[in-house]
């Protein structure tokens, strides 16, 4: 057994910068899907609200992460009235 780094994408071998981007995209996809479910929207209603086509929304709901940029997901969240925030921290200091 191995302790997780907190980022599943880093844990399975993605380079650190790509793992961070994938983690952020995954979080946005989850939150958007939760928003749609909570509001009880059909895919067509949700697509219209988020400014995408229904087939594109379906791909997002199927977690086709490779097809969505961080920008596209932030734009969808903004159209849903969600507030997306970013926090940048200092790098972790490595033990001597």
């Amino acid at each position: 057994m191995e302790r997780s780094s907190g980022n599943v994408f880093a844990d399975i071998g993605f380079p650190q910068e790509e793992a961070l981007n994938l983690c952020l995209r995954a979080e946005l996809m989850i939150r958007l899907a939760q928003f749609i479910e909570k509001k009880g929207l059909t895919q067509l209603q949700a697509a219209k609200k988020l400014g995408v086509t229904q087939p594109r929304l379906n791909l997002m709901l199927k977690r086709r992460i490779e097809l969505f940029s961080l920008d596209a997901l932030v734009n969808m969240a903004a159209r849903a009235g969600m507030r997306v925030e970013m926090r940048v921290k200092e790098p972790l200091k490595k033990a001597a």
Side-chain angles (χ1 to χ4, degrees):
M1 221 195 243
E2 198 172 309
R3 185 175 295 268
S4 171
S5 69
N7 182 328
V8 67
F9 299 104
D11 293 344
I12 61 174
F14 283 94
Q16 190 60 38
E17 56 279 352
E18 188 175 358
L20 177 59
N21 189 287
L22 286 164
C23 191
L24 292 170
R25 287 190 278 163
E27 178 70 22
L28 280 167
M29 289 178 134
I30 290 166
R31 298 296 178 108
L32 286 163
Q34 289 172 341
F35 168 82
I36 293 165
E37 186 176 334
K38 182 179 176 184
K39 296 288 185 184
L41 300 173
T42 66
Q43 282 194 17
L44 196 56
Q45 291 168 327
K48 186 174 181 177
K49 183 159 189 69
L50 301 179
V52 295
T53 64
Q54 183 276 325
R56 180 101 172 120
L57 178 72
N58 186 267
L59 291 170
M60 191 276 299
L61 293 172
K62 289 182 178 181
R63 306 297 198 268
R64 295 292 306 273
I65 197 167
E66 73 280 6
L67 300 176
F68 291 85
S69 69
L70 195 50
D71 284 350
L73 292 165
V74 168
N75 290 339
M76 289 169 70
R79 288 184 195 111
M82 300 166 84
R83 188 175 81 202
V84 178
E85 297 178 354
M86 185 173 80
R87 193 172 20 153
V88 180
K89 298 180 181 180
E90 292 293 322
L92 294 173
K93 297 188 189 234
K94 294 187 179 189

